[in-house]
Amino acid sequence: MTNHMGTGELKDFFQVPYAKLEELNLKAAERAKTATPATLEKEYVAFLKKEKGIKAVTLCFTDIEGRLHMLDYDKKFLLDSLSNLTFDGSSIRGFTPQHESDLRLDIDWASIRYFPADIFGPGKVIFFASVLNRDRTPYHSDFRGQLKLYVQTLKKKQGIEAFSAAEIEGFLVDGVNSEQSYRSEDGFKLISSGGYFHSLPMDKLRIFIDTAAEAQRAMGFKNEKDHPEVAPSQFEMNFSYAEVVRAADNVQLYKLICRQVARNQGMTATFLPKPFMGINGSGMHTNFSLSKNGKNIFYDSKGKDGLSKMAWDFLLRILNHAPELCLIINSSVNSYRRLDPHFEAPNQIKVSPIDRGSMIRIPVGNEKTARIEIRSVAPDANPYLSLYTILRVGLEGEKLQKDENKRDRLRFLPDNINDAIALCKGSKFMTKILGEDSKEKFIQCKQAAADRSPKALGTHIKGSEIIYHHEITNQLLWNSF
């Protein structure tokens, strides 16, 4: 399986051609559906011991705000220390306080992905990891772990499985690290003036899209279509439906691949919801459905718009709790610029099969594809926290009650982060879902960013809403305030 691919004789690291890489990743995904965690651990430990070309294993986890953190472990050290992989939780914003800082990592063996060597370097594979307390219980602010536990319980008790796929838009802008060096008076520099489908085959945007899409296919995403989006320099690459935990993993890897490819090409892929005024922002339209015994239970050929009663109950609960849910799925100061009705903004708390200004859209579907599309999710939202909250709200919330004798009053999502914080903070239901400690920590992080930005968004994008954004800021930027 080791292939030199021009690296010379000095380094004999694990490198696999893209076609073989896709085969390996798809095979691993199928294996994960049927094998037990113990079986997968045994198989992959044996693989790592045998494969001499692997030098390091990348473990990744996501903090409460949605940042992806990656640690590279020497392979031998990892295999010798599987029962004691620890890290300092107090160094991660939104995790543990300093006096109780030690946390553990527990490898999710079902999550293996084989990396394209030309993008991430040779000799590596990646696993997602669950965050555990010192006593090995699940850490309550690790929402990948919380989502995984919830769907396991849901399947065990009710036989229900949840599936999702996100349509993630982003912008390609000129220069490396252009977000960290953002100056409000200059703004970002577009690399393309074309719009929807208007990018020529070998221009910068098209080369970026092709390169990123090829890497995604190689990592088992099963891409469906890749294209420039409505706004100039905007892109979107769609991939197939998956079980919700894997779907959220795909979001994190999609953004990682895009950022890395852009960097390699001297540019920046940004997932800010609204990096430019006057043109469309970026969203993460989140498609969602439930299945039981292999059957899509959101489908009913005789139901309104082809949806079952369960699907309608699910989406009516989301609409009812939309104001208090808004902070979870629009978690940055900048995301409230996107909720602008002039640019197809999904800020109306309603459902529609056709109106793209609605928070929830019902796409045309059949027995296999019937689903709801939650359009108001921002691309910088924590995908695990978002899917976990949407799932629990859809199953456990109170339904929106309609009075047939009255015309529906049009409701809107909050238009600024301070209102969204207040609505989430005052919600007992959100406390029940997130837990008091995690909710408080999440709100503290959001308030800290809000306090560093003007309360009125205005018509000019401020430097503070960019550099203190949770996916952009670093210790140097934060401590310079």
Side-chain angles (χ1 to χ4, degrees):
M1 206 175 283
T2 301
N3 179 13
H4 293 287
M5 291 175 62
T7 59
E9 297 300 323
L10 290 177
K11 295 181 180 179
D12 190 15
F13 288 142
F14 184 81
Q15 299 186 79
V16 181
Y18 271 42
K20 180 65 175 177
L21 205 59
E22 183 175 17
E23 184 183 317
L24 283 172
N25 279 311
L26 291 175
K27 183 179 178 182
E30 287 302 311
R31 181 64 177 149
K33 293 177 183 178
T34 56
T36 65
T39 300
L40 291 172
E41 178 177 358
K42 183 178 179 181
E43 290 176 357
Y44 288 125
V45 166
F47 164 74
L48 291 173
K49 287 180 178 177
K50 179 182 177 183
E51 180 50 66
K52 304 300 183 186
I54 291 180
K55 59 181 177 179
V57 177
T58 301
L59 298 188
C60 60
F61 63 91
T62 298
D63 67 25
I64 197 168
E65 292 188 277
R67 288 186 213 84
L68 184 67
H69 297 265
M70 296 183 291
L71 300 85
D72 275 8
Y73 283 91
D74 174 80
K75 183 181 71 172
K76 185 176 187 309
F77 175 83
L78 179 86
L79 293 174
D80 290 342
S81 310
L82 287 176
S83 62
N84 193 38
L85 298 172
T86 62
F87 71 100
D88 179 8
S90 68
S91 297
I92 309 297
R93 278 185 66 214
F95 270 17
T96 59
Q98 191 168 344
H99 63 273
E100 49 179 45
S101 58
D102 283 349
L103 292 172
R104 296 180 184 274
L105 290 175
D106 185 45
I107 298 175
D108 182 352
W109 295 99
S111 69
I112 188 172
R113 303 288 180 107
Y114 300 88
F115 270 156
D118 59 329
I119 293 176
F120 295 103
K124 293 183 182 180
V125 291
I126 187 172
F127 292 90
F128 286 85
S130 297
V131 182
L132 306 179
N133 295 306
R134 290 170 66 101
D135 62 1
R136 300 190 176 281
T137 55
Y139 179 55
H140 62 281
S141 294
D142 168 30
F143 278 93
R144 185 184 190 275
Q146 293 301 313
L147 177 62
K148 191 176 176 183
L149 285 171
Y150 188 77
V151 295
Q152 286 174 344
T153 302
L154 192 63
K155 185 175 182 180
K156 185 177 181 181
K157 290 187 175 180
Q158 300 183 44
I160 291 175
E161 293 180 274
F163 292 87
S164 182
E167 302 167 24
I168 311 163
E169 296 166 330
F171 279 92
L172 191 63
V173 297
D174 195 37
V176 174
N177 290 335
S178 60
E179 294 166 317
Q180 286 80 4
S181 57
Y182 184 84
R183 288 164 51 88
S184 56
E185 55 268 34
D186 300 326
F188 292 114
K189 184 180 178 182
L190 294 167
I191 54 89
S192 168
S193 60
Y196 210 35
F197 303 139
H198 287 176
S199 185
L200 293 172
M202 292 301 286
D203 71 12
K204 287 183 177 181
L205 181 60
R206 191 70 250 185
I207 291 172
F208 161 79
I209 290 173
D210 289 347
T211 307
E214 286 165 3
Q216 287 161 21
R217 288 188 182 91
M219 290 182 72
F221 277 67
K222 297 182 181 177
N223 284 44
E224 296 174 351
K225 56 181 178 177
D226 322 303
H227 57 87
E229 254 298 338
V230 175
S233 288
Q234 194 177 34
F235 61 86
E236 180 182 312
M237 289 160 258
N238 299 147
F239 43 89
S240 67
Y241 237 47
E243 181 274 330
V244 284
V245 177
R246 186 174 178 87
D249 289 348
N250 284 342
V251 171
Q252 296 295 67
L253 291 174
Y254 171 99
K255 290 159 77 173
L256 176 65
I257 290 167
C258 288
R259 288 191 179 104
Q260 188 67 23
V261 168
R263 184 183 182 87
N264 290 352
Q265 296 178 358
M267 297 176 288
T268 296
T270 180
F271 296 97
L272 288 162
K274 191 81 167 180
F276 300 95
M277 296 301 291
I279 57 177
N280 287 42
S282 294
M284 185 165 71
H285 302 160
T286 301
N287 296 276
F288 207 95
S289 66
L290 298 177
S291 174
K292 191 170 185 176
N293 299 322
K295 182 180 179 183
N296 183 352
I297 56 176
F298 268 18
Y299 176 72
D300 184 346
S301 59
K302 298 178 181 178
K304 184 181 177 183
D305 296 314
L307 294 185
S308 66
K309 181 182 183 301
M310 182 170 197
W312 274 102
D313 287 349
F314 191 97
L315 69 83
L316 286 172
R317 291 186 183 104
I318 293 172
L319 292 178
N320 189 46
H321 293 279
E324 63 211 274
L325 167 67
C326 187
L327 183 67
I328 304 300
I329 59 177
N330 293 277
S331 59
S332 65
V333 174
N334 184 257
S335 59
Y336 292 87
R337 290 190 183 276
R338 172 181 168 253
L339 299 180
D340 180 337
H342 296 99
F343 296 95
E344 297 185 4
N347 66 336
Q348 300 173 24
I349 303 176
K350 67 176 187 178
V351 59
S352 171
I354 52 173
D355 185 355
R356 292 177 185 270
S358 299
M359 180 184 179
I360 299 177
R361 190 174 76 91
I362 303 172
V364 175
N366 54 31
E367 188 172 357
K368 182 180 179 182
T369 64
R371 64 198 187 276
I372 63 172
E373 178 188 74
I374 305 168
R375 294 178 59 81
S376 51
V377 185
D380 56 353
N382 180 339
Y384 305 103
L385 178 58
S386 297
L387 288 174
Y388 173 81
T389 308
I390 288 167
L391 184 55
R392 289 200 63 180
V393 169
L395 291 173
E396 300 175 29
E398 293 182 14
K399 287 187 292 183
L400 180 68
Q401 299 299 321
K402 291 196 172 189
D403 189 337
E404 301 297 334
N405 299 317
K406 291 183 179 180
R407 180 185 296 179
D408 289 342
R409 177 176 62 86
L410 190 56
R411 301 157 65 221
F412 295 90
L413 293 170
D415 63 2
N416 67 86
I417 196 169
N418 290 290
D419 287 352
I421 288 171
L423 287 162
C424 185
K425 194 173 186 177
S427 170
K428 292 182 180 178
F429 184 62
M430 293 305 291
T431 303
K432 173 190 171 185
I433 287 178
L434 303 180
E436 190 168 350
D437 184 61
S438 291
K439 177 185 162 185
E440 184 179 335
K441 286 191 294 189
F442 183 74
I443 287 176
Q444 282 178 350
C445 290
K446 300 301 106 185
Q447 191 67 63
D451 289 345
R452 284 161 172 79
S453 301
K455 287 192 180 297
L457 288 173
T459 58
H460 192 63
I461 296 175
K462 316 297 191 296
S464 56
E465 70 189 80
I466 307 300
I467 65 171
Y468 295 119
H469 185 283
H470 58 269
E471 288 190 334
I472 295 164
T473 195
N474 53 41
Q475 283 183 308
L476 180 64
L477 288 173
W478 194 263
N479 293 334
S480 69
F481 178 77

